[in-house]
Structure formats: structure tokens, C-alpha cells
Amino acid sequence: MESLKRTRIAEVLRNWQAIGAGNMVNLKGWVRTKRGNKNVAFIALNDGSVIHNIQIVVDLAGFDEATMKLITTGSCISVNGILVESPGQGQAVELQAKEIEVYGTADPETYPLQKKGHTLEFLREIAHLRPRTNTFGAVLRMRHAMSFAIHKYFNDNGFYYLHTPIVTGSDAEGAGAMFRVTTLDAKNPPLTETGEVDYTQDFFGKATNLTVSGQLEGELGALALSNIYTFGPTFRAENSNTPRHLAEFWMIEPEMAFHDINDNMDLAEDFLKYLVKYALDNCMDDLEFLTKMYDNELIDRLKFVVENDFQRLTYTEAVEILKASGQKFEFPVDWGTDLQSEHERYLVEKHFLRPVILTNYPKHIKAFYMKQNDDGKTVRAMDVLFPRIGEIIGGSQREESLEKLVTRCREMEIPEKDIWWYLDTRRFGTAPHAGFGLGFERMMLFVTGMANIRDVIPFPRTPQNAEF
RNA sequence: UCCUUCUUAGCUCAGUUGGUUAGAGCAUCUGACUGUUAAUCAGAGGGUCGCUGGUUCAAGUCCAGCAGAGGGAGCCA
């Protein structure tokens, strides 16, 4: 077969006029369908560069039957052919095949992906193959686009990307159960005199875990570089079985010196709108597919979020609205208790009909590091609530006073010796600062219209499941 | 972890108050068709009804346990 430089299908469909009808190109990809008759075969070829397939037209007189039999749904081929304007409906251009090489066959009796639709549940069981479907191609391309947009936004706005550790020796982040990291023999660990596992003999000389948040280290960076962000994997060993939780997920955590809670809200809103707009500006092919197949209101909802202000109000105001709503809630609303999902959904989806930012929560339901308000009862926390998703961002202005922070640690029984380095930032050159955490997969749920978080990450890790 | 629903062909599903040999669409295979668009048409093959036990003359169907999956809740991002 003549050696030609491969052209991506996205490139052909976008620039076929520049490439020029009548010219020979090489395309490589995976066969979605083959149909036709004795004289001509039509192959829908996809290489993942774009959601659309390109049609390969094969005049069977020029090809041997044995080769053509190998070309089935799922097989991988390389084609040299002439790019021509298509006489048929449904595509502008197609490729008149001259030479075909079969790279890999896919036995139709055993290849699990068919031409017809599959349920998302079934595709989760074959997560190694689901990237080859239209849906996961769209989701994974958008996942890349969103990742890129995150870095671009922060870079363009004077933030530095800080790599916070994955393995942490601190157990004080207060963000839930952790995965232990150890090289000790699980069957026969060294013990102390009192019979406890002796972690001084472990790899790091102490008990270590996978991080549940990069925030504490992020603050160290912000109190030197002014504006930093993290974007990395995060782990929670909670036994959560919901469409919104993963044991391994990706989180974006900006942290800004000299920002108060209002600056923090401004940034969160601007950032989220930027990401949604980036999707609308750069992922329209995939968005149109997802809108058509999964969520008819997706594109409209994304546009609405970009064009409208988020509703900002305090926790106390939210409680008053909920109490006055006349709604029957399963859980009663009362000042001092954390809001339940049903309450958040009511505010976002029934009352305000737009994203909501809640601030100034009671201090006893929030983390130790949040800045205390002068009322002695509330802290400068903020939660951003999105339609369909619920909490997409959690953040706060941080307590910069050493005295108040230490007092709060003692009240909440957080050992100061474990976070001496964190407390040092308040001891030496402390500054007002703020930050938040955005769950990347929750953002992906919103921009793709997918309903289950396991369908917006390539290989989901959930309780009882670490396959692939 | 709690509540709830589901598990029948490769996939998506039907299967009546328990009653002969468990069905359909798609997929697969064979054949037909000169340009198809999830091609179409004709035919064929394909099942330990999630697993284990129980009730019954008789269980895909009723009961119990277990496993897996979905939805809701909690924890949160």
C-alpha cells in the first residue's frame, strides 16, 4: 500500500475544500458500520477526532472478497482514497477507496458494541471499549476541552498552577474518610508495645493517606505567590453510592491572597461562566449530539447560565425563604441545621430558577479554617448550587487570625501538632485570603447533560469497583 | 450505610390469576438487491429465565438468603 501521511477525519471534514476534491488522502480509524450490495460498500469510519464519521465508498470490483469480509463493525483500517464531493445525501464529502489495509479485525460474534444504542449501564461494564462510542467520544473530547479551559483561564488571569501532594501525612483536612497508603505487610504489620500498628516503621515513618483536598497546601502557595490553583486527583473513602460521588475524582482548587468572600464569589461565578462559554464556543458538535440524544434543554441551559447572574444570598435568608415557601419537605428546615438536597434543589430549581451562591453558614456545620464573622455564629463559607447537580463548589474566606484559628482547632479537637506548618502561615506574615474547590466531574455533568458521574470520567472508581 | 426497584438470547425488552416445546426487535450467519445513511427484503442459528435453597402435582412467575445493577437519602466536590 502506498505510504501517505495520515489526515485526521476532523481535519478532512473541516478543511476538505482546502485539501481539494480529487486529491488522494490517507485516513485511519475504526469502522462503525458497513453496508451495501454486491457492487459497492459504504463504510462509516470514525477516528475519534470528531463525532462525525466519514463515508468510505468501496467499489468492490477493485477489492478482494477476503479483505472485505474482515471489515466489520469495530475493526480498524487504513484507507488511501480520493476525496470527492458526495453524490448521496447526508454528507458533503466522502472517500473513494483505492487501497485498504486492515490493522485489526473485530469478530462480530464477540465484539460487544453494536450499531444500535446501548444503555449507559451496559457501557460501564465495558469501560475499556466505551470510548469508541459517540457518547463517550463526545464526553471525553469535552473533558479535554474543559481541562484545557481551566488551565487557560487561570493562566490568563495571573494564577500559578501549584502541584500539591497526592500522599499526605496530615489527617486534618476534615473532608471525609481517607485511603491509607502503606508498604507494611497487611497480614503481619509491626506493632508498638501497646499493640497498635507501628507506622514509624512504614515507608514515610508515619501514617499516610491519599489526599482528600489540596487546600491546606494550596494556602501555603497563595501566601507566597498571591494566586494559585491546583488541579489534580482527589480521593474519598466514603461509602457513597450516588450518581454524584466518586472515590477518585478531580478537583480544581484556586486560592487567592488578598481576596475576601465577595472576591471569592466573583471569581467562582466568572470562572464557571468562562468554562460553560468555552464549551459553547468550542464543543458545539459534541453538545449538539448530547442535546439530541440525552438532554433536549442542554444547550439552552448552558446559554442561560452564561447570560444570567447567579443569585447570591445568605444561609439565614435561604432558611427564611424555605420556611415561607409552604413546601412540604421530608426534613424540616431550621436555622442551625445543614440544608438537605431537597432544600437546595428547591432554591435553585423552583424558587430562583438559576445558580445560587449561599454564604455565611452557621459555624458549627462548617470546617475549622473558615473565617469567623463578627456575629460569633456564622462563618464566611460559600456554596455554589447548580441545577441538576446541587453543590458544585464549596469554598470560603479563610481565618487569617492565628488566635481565632487555634481556638477553633481546640474546639473541634484538631491536633495542632499535625498542622503546625499550616498554623505557621498565620504566625508569619498572615494575610486575608480565600479559595474554593470545584468538583471537575460535577462540572462535566453540567456541561455534558449526563446524569451519572460514572459516565463523565473514563474509568470510574466507586465502592466495590476498581475494574480497568 | 439505609430505603426502594430491577436481573429472561450478544444488546434492548415482553412473558396474563403458577399450567404443554419461553417470545419480539435489533445484532450475528446464509441468500437477494447498481449509491447506502441505525440501508432494505427473505431465511437460519442462538436460552442452566442472576445464584442457592424452599413451597407446589407443576415455578421465568410464589417465599427466603446471597450477588450484581439502577433510583432516592446520608457524607461531600
Side-chain angles (χ1 to χ4, degrees):
Chain A
M1 180 157 144
E2 185 185 349
S3 177
L4 278 175
K5 190 172 188 298
R6 174 203 169 211
T7 306
R8 292 159 73 245
I9 291 170
E11 175 73 12
V12 172
L13 296 181
R14 192 169 50 229
N15 289 338
W16 62 271
Q17 282 162 317
I19 295 166
N23 284 319
M24 178 87 89
V25 297
N26 172 262
L27 303 178
K28 301 179 197 295
W30 292 268
V31 173
R32 286 294 172 76
T33 69
K34 186 179 75 171
R35 51 181 178 264
N37 53 46
K38 247 182 200 157
N39 305 292
V40 62
F42 301 93
I43 298 167
L45 194 71
N46 188 284
D47 68 0
S49 61
V50 63
I51 194 158
H52 305 296
N53 304 325
I54 193 162
Q55 176 156 280
I56 312 292
V57 184
V58 185
D59 181 353
L60 294 176
F63 293 85
D64 70 281
E65 199 176 325
T67 302
M68 291 309 297
K69 275 200 93 151
L70 300 176
I71 299 172
T72 58
T73 297
S75 60
C76 184
I77 61 174
S78 173
V79 187
N80 288 339
I82 309 287
L83 193 62
V84 296
E85 293 194 44
S86 176
Q89 304 278 305
Q91 60 278 317
V93 285
E94 61 190 24
L95 197 71
Q96 289 281 354
K98 294 300 170 197
E99 295 178 286
I100 300 179
E101 181 181 350
V102 177
Y103 282 144
T105 58
D107 180 359
E109 297 281 2
T110 53
Y111 184 61
L113 288 172
Q114 300 169 10
K115 299 177 194 181
K116 277 202 135 183
H118 296 284
T119 60
L120 294 169
E121 289 83 1
F122 174 69
L123 293 175
R124 272 173 224 149
E125 295 171 12
I126 52 166
H128 58 308
L129 296 172
R130 69 179 184 170
R132 299 186 189 184
T133 62
N134 286 335
T135 300
F136 284 88
V139 167
L140 295 177
R141 280 185 296 273
M142 286 191 69
R143 197 178 156 100
H144 161 79
M146 289 296 95
S147 301
F148 180 79
I150 285 160
H151 287 299
K152 179 166 168 55
Y153 178 86
F154 285 125
N155 183 67
D156 292 352
N157 285 281
F159 284 67
Y160 297 105
Y161 182 24
L162 183 74
H163 295 96
T164 51
I166 307 294
V167 174
T168 175
S170 118
D171 196 8
E173 279 97 342
M178 305 176 88
F179 289 103
R180 175 133 292 161
V181 174
T182 181
T183 56
L184 295 178
D185 182 354
K187 274 190 191 154
N188 190 23
L191 300 177
T192 62
E193 288 174 4
T194 54
E196 308 288 315
V197 175
D198 184 6
Y199 287 106
T200 65
Q201 294 187 47
D202 203 348
F203 185 88
F204 293 106
K206 64 191 294 193
T208 50
N209 298 288
L210 293 178
T211 183
V212 294
S213 164
Q215 181 200 317
L216 299 189
E217 289 91 346
E219 288 186 44
L220 311 183
L223 292 171
L225 302 172
S226 294
N227 291 349
I228 65 92
Y229 70 104
T230 72
F231 184 8
T234 309
F235 306 87
R236 304 273 166 93
E238 304 287 354
N239 192 8
S240 297
N241 289 290
T242 84
R244 296 180 304 283
H245 290 86
L246 291 165
E248 177 184 279
F249 63 101
W250 290 66
M251 188 153 65
I252 300 103
E253 294 177 291
E255 195 72 34
M256 299 77 65
F258 320 120
H259 276 50
D260 65 14
I261 188 68
N262 292 312
D263 301 322
N264 207 22
M265 285 191 276
D266 290 344
L267 181 77
E269 182 167 343
D270 188 58
F271 176 49
L272 290 171
K273 285 179 173 173
Y274 177 89
L275 295 182
V276 173
K277 185 165 189 308
Y278 190 91
L280 287 167
D281 290 345
N282 294 277
C283 306
M284 202 35 101
D285 282 352
D286 293 324
L287 282 174
E288 282 172 353
F289 173 82
L290 294 166
T291 299
K292 192 173 94 190
M293 299 300 290
Y294 291 99
D295 181 352
N296 292 328
E297 293 159 11
L298 175 61
I299 291 175
D300 290 342
R301 191 184 309 117
L302 297 185
K303 286 180 177 167
F304 181 88
V305 163
V306 170
E307 289 162 6
N308 290 276
D309 289 342
F310 295 5
Q311 182 71 42
R312 300 183 187 189
L313 70 162
T314 64
Y315 166 90
T316 303
E317 289 165 338
V319 168
E320 284 164 7
I321 288 169
L322 290 166
K323 281 188 160 178
S325 70
Q327 278 279 315
K328 286 242 156 105
F329 293 114
E330 189 184 344
F331 296 93
V333 185
D334 218 352
W335 200 98
T337 62
D338 210 353
L339 297 181
Q340 305 291 314
S341 289
E342 56 175 342
H343 306 140
E344 296 178 347
R345 295 191 84 117
Y346 176 84
L347 290 170
V348 173
E349 294 168 11
K350 295 256 171 61
H351 190 82
F352 290 116
L353 299 168
R354 62 179 61 200
V356 168
I357 309 181
L358 288 179
T359 52
N360 294 330
Y361 282 77
K363 68 175 181 183
H364 62 270
I365 59 173
K366 289 292 183 181
F368 75 97
Y369 49 72
M370 295 188 179
K371 183 171 176 66
Q372 297 166 48
N373 281 313
D374 294 338
D375 64 11
K377 296 190 299 188
T378 60
V379 291
R380 288 185 199 173
M382 71 172 201
D383 282 1
V384 181
L385 310 178
F386 257 38
R388 296 178 73 247
I389 315 297
E391 185 180 345
I392 196 166
I393 277 179
S396 68
Q397 186 173 341
R398 317 306 189 190
E399 181 55 73
E400 79 265 27
S401 156
L402 177 65
E403 187 190 340
K404 286 184 181 169
L405 189 58
V406 167
T407 302
R408 198 79 189 107
C409 281
R410 287 174 187 159
E411 284 170 5
M412 297 177 79
E413 296 181 345
I414 291 160
E416 292 158 55
K417 66 175 173 49
D418 287 355
I419 53 165
W420 61 271
W421 44 272
Y422 181 74
L423 297 173
D424 257 10
T425 56
R426 275 63 167 175
R427 194 168 279 123
F428 306 119
T430 192
H433 64 291
F436 61 81
L438 168 68
F440 183 54
E441 284 76 18
R442 290 197 179 166
M443 187 66 194
M444 286 299 302
L445 283 177
F446 186 73
V447 295
T448 61
M450 292 281 100
N452 193 311
I453 202 162
R454 293 163 190 151
D455 298 328
V456 294
I457 188 169
F459 305 104
R461 269 76 182 100
T462 52
Q464 298 298 311
N465 177 30
E467 193 69 50
F468 311 108

